[in-house]
């Protein structure tokens, strides 16, 4: 399944300006459902929830002889579609030269925490935590997995990042 996305501005800075998130997008799934019906999902960053959510889902039948049924609606995997859009089209990390890179390209590039300076791993934990939160992944588990640390170490790194003002959630 592929998708066509329209992204709307303005972008919002997150994680101390190291991440930008487009405020809204509209996603059209191609093909939509198994009978060719089209599916459009409107998505927006929700400040209260701290992540991108579906704000509307529209299904249009493919013409005469088709109908929208509960079975057809079960074919729509809204969360999976949102994650793909967030990671590839809405959420970007800024590098030291202020160039943007889709979150999907950087999420697997973090080095394990062992042997690295604490300040560097804390900064990376804040970035991973923000990406995971916006994409609706379990944030502490994602930090632990990406930095190859225990869940309790991930919790301490995130708490430290929060104390240092690297996170916008608290």
């Amino acid at each position: 399944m592929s998708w066509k996305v329209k992204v709307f501005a303005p972008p919002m800075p997150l994680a101390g300006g190291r991440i930008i998130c487009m405020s809204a997008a509209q996603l059209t799934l191609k093909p939509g459902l198994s009978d060719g019906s089209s599916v459009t999902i409107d998505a927006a960053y929700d400040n209260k929830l701290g992540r991108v959510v579906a704000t509307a889902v529209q299904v249009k039948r493919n013409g005469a002889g088709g109908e929208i049924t509960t079975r057809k609606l079960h074919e729509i995997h809204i969360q999976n579609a949102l994650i793909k859009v967030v990671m590839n089209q809405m959420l970007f990390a800024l590098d030291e030269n202020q160039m943007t890179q889709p979150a999907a390209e950087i999420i697997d590039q973090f080095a394990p925490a062992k042997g690295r300076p604490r300040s560097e791993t804390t900064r990376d934990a804040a970035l991973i935590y923000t990406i995971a939160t916006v994409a609706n992944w379990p944030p502490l588990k994602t930090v632990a997995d990406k930095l190859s640390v225990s869940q309790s170490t991930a919790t301490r790194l995130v708490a430290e990042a929060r104390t240092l003002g690297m996170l916008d959630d608290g």
Side-chain angles (χ1 to χ4, degrees):
M1 181 178 295
S2 64
W3 61 90
K4 180 179 142 194
V5 179
K6 292 181 198 172
V7 177
F8 304 98
M12 294 164 300
L14 302 171
R18 293 189 58 220
I19 298 235
I20 56 171
C21 182
M22 299 303 149
S23 57
Q26 186 176 70
L27 156 72
T28 303
L29 301 178
K30 303 280 184 181
L33 303 178
S34 60
D35 67 354
S37 297
S38 67
V39 177
T40 301
I41 301 171
D42 291 346
Y45 181 81
D46 184 297
N47 285 318
K48 190 171 185 175
L49 295 174
R51 60 185 168 90
V52 173
V53 298
T55 58
V57 177
Q58 180 181 44
V59 181
K60 290 185 180 177
R61 73 181 191 153
N62 191 26
E67 66 179 322
I68 306 301
T69 64
T70 304
R71 179 173 283 178
K72 289 293 174 201
L73 294 176
H74 281 288
E75 292 180 29
I76 305 170
H77 299 283
I78 296 169
Q79 193 58 39
N80 291 341
L82 282 179
I83 288 171
K84 287 179 182 177
V85 170
V86 167
M87 295 300 287
N88 292 287
Q89 313 282 151
M90 290 183 75
L91 194 61
F92 299 90
L94 295 173
D95 66 15
E96 53 277 348
N97 300 318
Q98 298 300 305
M99 301 296 290
T100 59
Q101 195 175 11
E105 292 179 14
I106 65 158
I107 194 65
D108 291 321
Q109 295 179 5
F110 293 96
K114 188 173 184 177
R116 294 173 54 210
R118 182 71 171 204
S119 61
E120 191 177 295
T121 56
T122 302
R123 188 184 68 234
D124 285 352
L127 196 59
I128 296 165
Y129 185 90
T130 300
I131 291 170
T133 300
V134 174
N136 201 21
W137 291 343
L140 289 172
K141 181 182 182 325
T142 304
V143 170
D145 291 348
K146 300 301 178 186
L147 294 179
S148 301
V149 297
S150 68
Q151 186 92 17
S152 60
T153 298
T155 301
R156 286 191 296 276
L157 286 167
V158 168
E160 190 173 319
R162 199 170 274 125
T163 299
L164 293 171
M166 295 178 182
L167 291 171
D168 304 316
D169 67 347

